[in-house]
Amino acid sequence: MRYLMTTKASDTAPDEKLYAAMAEFVEELTTAGVLLATGGLEPGGIRVTSSGDGITVTDGPFAEAKEAVAGFALVEVRSREEAIEVARRFRRIVGDGESVIQQVFGS
């Protein structure tokens, strides 16, 4: 089962200890074949909306930017519970904040 895990930006600046802990976590999950992809996302982005036949393209940043996704991880696990445990471990490393886990269908 594949899950997309996303996280919102934090007000806390990362330090060397955080970078080291995340590097170890990423290495562990990659070696185990759990982590398929990970990355950070630009804060602005481009919004594409459609209504009827019209398509509107709007460059960011947007007023609600602090609600935007800041990073992601695509994982392959055996169960929903395993995905939740991976997210729990991530949150313990990075501290306060919010992440969302969504199952990816069709993969």
Side-chain angles (χ1 to χ4, degrees), residues 20-79:
M22 279 304 299
E24 184 177 320
F25 185 56
V26 166
E27 178 65 28
E28 176 190 337
L29 294 180
T30 301
T31 300
V34 171
L35 186 61
L36 304 177
T38 186
L41 302 171
E42 69 167 310
I46 301 166
R47 180 176 292 150
V48 180
T49 57
S50 60
S51 179
D53 292 334
I55 304 288
T56 303
V57 177
T58 309
D59 288 331
F62 305 101
E64 62 280 355
K66 66 182 183 179
E67 293 296 317
V69 172
F72 74 94
L74 180 62
V75 298
E76 187 154 355
V77 293
R78 293 179 295 274
S79 66

Side-chain angles (χ1 to χ4, degrees), residues 78-95:
R78 293 179 295 274
S79 66
R80 176 180 181 270
E81 291 74 21
E82 189 176 347
I84 292 170
E85 184 54 30
V86 170
R88 285 180 195 267
R89 290 182 61 201
F90 170 77
R91 294 287 358 147
R92 282 188 197 109
I93 293 169
V94 300

